[in-house]
Amino acid sequence: MTDRTVSPLLEFRNARISFMLRVGEANVIPGLSFSINPGEAMGLVGESGCGKSTVALAIMRYLGRAGRVTSGQIMFEGRDIASMSEDELRRIRGKRLAMVYQDPMSSLNPVKTIGSQLMEVPIIHDDADEAKARAMALRMLDEVKLPDAASVMNRYPHQLSGGQQQRVVIAMALITQPSLLVMDEPTTGLDVTVEAAVLDLVRELRQRHNSAILFISHNLGTVVRVCDRIGVMYAGEMVEQGTIREVFANPGHPYTRGLLDCLPTLGRDKHGSPLSTIPGQVGSPLSRPPGCSFAKRCAFAEEGRCTTVPIAIETLGGGHLAQCVRTRELPPYQRREGLSGVGNDDESVPAMLEITALRKTYRQTHGLFGDTGKTVKALNDVDMFAKPGKTLAIVGESGCGKSTLAKVLSGLVTSTDGAVRLEREEIGTVGVDKRPQSLKRKLQMVFQNPDSTLNPSHSVGYVIGRALRRLKGMSRREAENETARLLDVVKLNGDFAHRKPHQLSGGQKQRIAIARALAGDPEVMIADEPVSALDVSVQAAIINLLNELQTERKTTFLFISHDLAVVRYMADHVAVMYLGKVVEFGRAAEVFEPPFHPYTEALLSAAPVPDPTRQGERIILDGALPSATDLPPGCPFSSRCPRKVGAICDTTPPPEQQLGHGHRIACHIPAVELVALQRGGAPAKVAAKA
């Protein structure tokens, strides 16, 4: 609960924010009121287009020439940000007020060392000399737990991993000990272990520096892990706010309930029930309805009562507020979780895709022409399979070999050794340029970022039609008819054929990418992080769509993801990869139950859970992955393993234990002992309660 006896550090007082466009005024934030106290962490959630990032940019006054606060106030430390001069803003930005963006490279200069960029902040804002600035930079690198801070100071951004880059940006934001830190999707795209480490770091630094945090995210699990309170935004309005426990236990707005119901959890799978979705999309700020903005998408809306007059804010007690006329009439909320079913897994059915002893090595180069003589072992004796009409999920941290495996399967690179067979036909040694059309049709790929594969100057109809003409040899008229049918398959109407990528939402772009992949009637689809950057409501719709397509077309999916809840929901089999090797493989239900490989156990403990009542112990993985150019002789996970049993883990490759039904783990600890440890014992190196 917000302490009313303390003056707010940040306060929106009925702030109205608009953008002046050629077509008129876009009233993005019609009148927003909320506050954050010193040292408090507040989460801001909602779909894309709800106004979350506009709020962050308004706090920093980065709205550009078109954006402005047209009425109300945004008070920071008792002063209205909108009325400050440029000189006053420069004095507080970076010192009293700092921001961490989703992409750390947007804040880091690629041609300057990390040290020079960190030192620049206290030199500019605190008039520090070079020696003092260097000492402050080294101290902050230690605080964000980057090993060998002196070495990091001399590196360039491209020489750091994504998680290390994000830690540097957090250090840069906190080096002057600001009173407010605004974080806009700071962990999207990070591995689950790196994400957990960054979130732990944020909580620790917040307590140490007593900085308030506005944490913007579409991942409700990360908000639970970091924040005290939560605000739910829809169409620029704060439709609900309160403490994390109050809002998650008894959401008072139908939109909040819809967001929670969209979430897959570790106890659900596709055989139980489809994910709930929120129909429709966020409306345009150019035409606001007179009543509730959510009414057209709301299952509880009443014509007239909800649609004709502005909706008042109801107080539910304890600082819990909801902007809904029916909030006291809603039925008691119950989370939809724990629903699972039984899939039909006939072990006698031959595999559609079979990978045996697969290896992929690269020669490491230095500069344009130099050969270091070192070999990078990206894939090392990989064994796995995918059954017809089933989903094989591949999980693991960056550098484990997931993307290299996808490249080998798609023909972007060829294998070094081993076998990759699609319906018993070897494809691993055949590059995409040498594959016949029949093979290209059989195997298609959907990428994480559809923007990188959609030409901005071409219409949707052209993009899908070109794939149809190339893969099936269709005439232009035939391709137009088939394009309309494929758009219907992915639940988009035919008008979308005339649109260009900039006219589509993120979820619509991903549907177009799926429609294009379906152009060849593929038997296997590789989906590389296809939902990681999507809102939870859009994510649920895309997951349901993929499952429907699999049921109707019997398509085999190879699904790459770091979201373990999504993997648990979608997968029939799971392969857990670490440093180019498969450390655990088996049916999804068995991989997600003890005995786990210790690495699988660590991944599961790091997964953010969108439930404040179910935060358990977190296993800390110290250090980074060993180098793929110098693989350890024993277990590849031994240098980070919390259950390491001794020198044998460093010197001897672990035996592969067969646990039945194809479930196997590579570990020196007997499976029986792992079960006892993981169900009752405490790991050797665990965090406090998360």
Side-chain angles (χ1 to χ4, degrees):
M1 184 188 303
T2 303
D3 187 351
R4 301 299 176 187
T5 65
V6 177
S7 297
L9 174 70
L10 175 75
E11 186 176 13
F12 274 64
R13 297 177 178 174
N14 198 30
R16 177 187 173 101
I17 304 170
S18 299
F19 287 83
M20 306 306 165
L21 309 177
R22 290 182 180 179
V23 293
E25 179 184 349
N27 183 208
V28 177
I29 307 291
L32 185 64
S33 296
F34 74 95
S35 63
I36 301 177
N37 284 343
E40 185 178 43
M42 180 174 181
L44 209 55
V45 302
E47 295 168 288
S48 294
C50 285
K52 307 185 301 296
S53 293
T54 299
V55 169
L57 294 174
I59 293 169
M60 303 299 296
R61 217 171 91 180
Y62 284 152
L63 293 172
R65 293 183 179 180
R68 65 195 65 172
V69 179
T70 56
S71 65
Q73 294 176 309
I74 302 175
M75 306 297 292
F76 175 69
E77 294 185 328
R79 300 190 60 199
D80 185 6
I81 289 175
S83 64
M84 288 183 184
S85 68
E86 290 296 330
D87 285 341
E88 290 173 314
L89 276 173
R90 275 193 289 270
R91 283 196 290 271
I92 67 167
R93 282 187 191 143
K95 181 172 176 64
R96 304 296 300 152
L97 186 60
M99 186 164 179
V100 176
Y101 297 88
Q102 175 177 343
D103 178 12
M105 284 305 294
S106 65
S107 303
L108 296 173
N109 189 326
V111 298
K112 297 181 69 174
T113 64
I114 297 300
S116 64
Q117 296 183 67
L118 277 170
M119 290 166 61
E120 191 175 59
V121 181
I123 287 173
I124 291 174
H125 291 288
D126 289 337
D127 293 324
D129 58 30
E130 188 170 327
K132 182 179 179 182
R134 177 172 290 277
M136 292 174 69
L138 285 167
R139 186 182 72 249
M140 279 309 306
L141 288 177
D142 284 332
E143 283 204 34
V144 298
K145 299 179 181 177
L146 278 171
D148 195 3
S151 172
V152 173
M153 289 277 285
N154 296 321
R155 295 184 199 172
Y156 289 89
H158 73 274
Q159 295 174 306
L160 304 179
S161 69
Q164 290 171 331
Q165 290 172 358
Q166 196 64 282
R167 287 169 186 254
V168 168
V169 172
I170 293 172
M172 191 181 300
L174 289 174
I175 195 167
T176 59
Q177 299 193 25
S179 55
L180 177 64
L181 183 62
V182 180
M183 309 188 80
D184 191 359
E185 300 279 9
T187 60
T188 298
L190 296 181
D191 299 322
V192 64
T193 52
V194 178
E195 175 185 66
V198 169
L199 295 177
D200 288 346
L201 173 67
V202 169
R203 292 199 319 171
E204 181 183 327
L205 292 176
R206 170 197 162 199
Q207 293 170 355
R208 188 179 306 166
H209 295 276
N210 197 36
S211 293
I213 293 176
L214 180 64
F215 190 89
I216 298 170
S217 180
H218 67 258
N219 187 328
L220 298 181
T222 62
V223 172
V224 167
R225 188 166 278 180
V226 170
C227 300
D228 310 303
R229 292 193 302 126
I230 186 172
V232 182
M233 289 192 69
Y234 184 81
E237 299 177 288
M238 190 77 76
V239 296
E240 184 163 7
Q241 58 178 305
T243 67
I244 291 288
R245 287 188 175 272
E246 288 170 341
V247 172
F248 276 72
N250 186 30
H253 197 283
Y255 179 60
T256 309
R257 295 184 175 212
L259 290 177
L260 291 171
D261 287 341
C262 287
L263 296 170
T265 62
L266 292 174
R268 297 180 66 180
D269 64 43
K270 63 186 177 184
H271 303 296
S273 62
L275 295 175
S276 299
T277 60
I278 303 175
Q281 299 174 37
V282 181
S284 169
L286 291 169
S287 56
R288 289 188 172 276
C292 176
S293 296
F294 186 61
K296 288 185 177 180
R297 305 174 69 189
C298 181
F300 298 98
E302 289 184 2
E303 189 65 33
R305 190 179 174 197
C306 298
T307 59
T308 56
V309 296
I311 307 300
I313 296 174
E314 295 284 335
T315 301
L316 303 179
H320 188 183
L321 310 174
Q323 190 176 3
C324 177
V325 296
R326 299 204 59 197
T327 186
R328 300 183 188 280
E329 304 165 17
L330 298 177
Y333 180 69
Q334 186 172 359
R335 290 290 303 275
R336 301 182 185 181
E337 59 183 347
L339 300 174
S340 62
V342 179
N344 179 22
D345 184 20
D346 187 348
E347 294 185 17
S348 66
V349 175
M352 168 65 71
L353 182 69
E354 191 169 12
I355 300 168
T356 308
L358 176 63
R359 294 187 180 186
K360 177 59 186 177
T361 58
Y362 297 96
R363 295 286 291 182
Q364 190 178 62
T365 59
H366 180 72
L368 290 175
F369 307 106
D371 187 339
T372 64
K374 294 183 178 180
T375 299
V376 178
K377 297 179 180 178
L379 297 173
N380 192 15
D381 288 329
V382 170
D383 292 302
M384 63 179 74
F385 62 82
K387 293 291 185 76
K390 302 293 183 181
T391 297
L392 166 63
I394 302 176
V395 301
E397 295 167 290
S398 294
C400 74
K402 306 187 302 292
S403 294
T404 300
L405 178 60
K407 289 177 181 178
V408 171
L409 293 175
S410 60
L412 296 176
V413 299
T414 55
S415 61
T416 303
D417 199 1
V420 181
R421 296 186 179 91
L422 177 60
E423 289 189 310
R424 301 182 182 178
E425 177 184 0
E426 173 60 38
I427 65 171
T429 56
V430 186
V432 67
D433 56 332
K434 296 181 180 179
R435 292 185 176 183
Q437 290 295 89
S438 59
L439 178 54
K440 291 179 181 178
R441 287 198 301 269
K442 280 184 180 180
L443 191 147
Q444 289 288 306
M445 191 160 180
V446 178
F447 295 90
Q448 174 178 355
N449 181 10
D451 279 317
S452 64
T453 59
L454 295 177
N455 191 320
S457 63
H458 288 156
S459 68
V460 166
Y462 176 86
V463 167
I464 299 175
R466 182 176 183 272
L468 289 165
R469 293 192 297 273
R470 294 290 297 272
L471 292 173
K472 290 186 172 180
M474 288 185 172
S475 67
R476 187 171 297 275
R477 177 59 61 85
E478 289 173 330
E480 288 176 356
N481 293 334
E482 182 64 7
T483 295
R485 190 185 71 81
L486 287 173
L487 288 173
D488 183 62
V489 167
V490 297
K491 296 178 172 55
L492 295 173
N493 64 53
D495 292 340
F496 278 83
H498 306 293
R499 299 189 189 184
K500 292 185 177 180
H502 73 273
Q503 297 172 301
L504 306 174
S505 68
Q508 289 167 346
K509 290 175 186 176
Q510 198 61 285
R511 288 171 186 262
I512 298 301
I514 293 170
R516 182 175 58 182
L518 292 172
D521 291 325
E523 296 179 17
V524 176
M525 283 180 63
I526 304 169
D528 189 359
E529 299 278 12
V531 298
S532 65
L534 301 178
D535 301 322
V536 291
S537 55
V538 180
Q539 173 184 276
I542 296 296
I543 290 172
N544 286 343
L545 172 62
L546 291 174
N547 287 330
E548 288 174 22
L549 292 173
Q550 185 170 64
T551 301
E552 295 169 3
R553 293 170 172 250
K554 306 302 179 187
T555 307
T556 301
F557 283 117
L558 191 77
F559 190 85
I560 298 172
S561 179
H562 65 259
D563 189 324
L564 296 183
V566 171
V567 166
R568 178 66 185 94
Y569 184 81
M570 287 200 65
D572 297 286
H573 287 84
V574 177
V576 182
M577 293 188 67
Y578 186 84
L579 207 61
K581 294 186 73 70
V582 177
V583 297
E584 181 162 8
F585 179 87
R587 294 174 177 174
E590 293 165 347
V591 170
F592 282 82
E593 290 289 338
F596 315 110
H597 186 278
Y599 180 57
T600 309
E601 182 186 13
L603 291 179
L604 289 169
S605 81
V609 179
D611 184 347
T613 66
R614 292 180 56 188
Q615 298 304 300
E617 291 179 332
R618 254 247 306 120
I619 298 174
I620 302 297
L621 295 183
D622 292 329
L625 274 73
S627 172
T629 63
D630 187 22
L631 295 176
C635 174
F637 186 54
S638 64
S639 63
R640 302 170 73 199
C641 182
R643 298 197 184 279
K644 183 176 176 180
V645 294
I648 188 174
C649 296
D650 295 320
T651 60
T652 307
E656 193 170 83
Q657 303 182 54
Q658 299 291 338
L659 307 180
H661 303 295
H663 184 199
R664 64 180 192 269
I665 59 173
C667 186
H668 286 289
I669 303 174
V672 174
E673 292 184 25
L674 279 174
V675 171
L677 285 168
Q678 291 163 351
R679 283 186 173 156
K685 202 185 302 180
V686 299
K689 291 280 184 181

